[in-house]
Amino acid sequence: MSKSFDPIADMLTKIRNGQKAGHSHVDIPSSNIKIQIATIFKDEGYIKGWKVIEDKIQGILRVFLRYSEDKEPIITGIKRISKPGRRVYVGNKDIPKVLGGKGRAILTTPYGVMTDREATKRSIGGEVICYVW
């Protein structure tokens, strides 16, 4: 049985599960794209922050989760869109709006990883990594 491994889906699942369990942070094997996604989550206010903890392998990306004053997770939903077996690409005219603009689509473009808002402003399309709201 060959199972394709999707490290970005693994990251999103760890964040989703960590918030459901009320954890202060989650640890994820680090990579450049995961750091770029975590940076967007921080900039958009979905997480408190992140840091890379050096180990002898690839490093650990520690993501600090964010909750409202009444202890509700800030991220109410997170969904992987493009998968290794089924890539989803959009042109600049077809960039999806998540929950009518209340959520964010995260795209990887020729100019790096960015939000739907940034890609629309720059008139560039790309691969839709995930939705977060």
Side-chain angles (χ1 to χ4, degrees), residues 9-20:
D10 182 54
M11 171 189 185
L12 301 178
T13 298
K14 284 186 178 189
I15 291 172
R16 185 185 314 112
N17 292 346
Q19 286 213 299
K20 280 184 183 163

Side-chain angles (χ1 to χ4, degrees), residues 22-74:
H23 295 311
S24 64
H25 67 271
V26 292
D27 290 343
I28 303 157
S30 184
S31 74
N32 286 337
I33 192 161
K34 291 179 199 173
I35 289 170
Q36 292 172 341
I37 293 168
T39 300
I40 289 174
F41 285 178
K42 164 94 173 72
D43 293 346
E44 294 292 321
Y46 291 111
I47 63 172
K48 284 184 186 172
W50 60 268
K51 72 176 180 179
V52 175
I53 300 165
E54 294 301 327
D55 63 6
K56 298 287 186 257
I57 313 158
Q58 69 189 76
I60 303 291
L61 176 63
R62 179 164 286 173
V63 176
F64 297 96
L65 305 175
R66 190 165 168 235
Y67 299 90
S68 66
E69 287 181 20
D70 54 352
K71 307 282 189 270
E72 291 298 311
I74 295 296

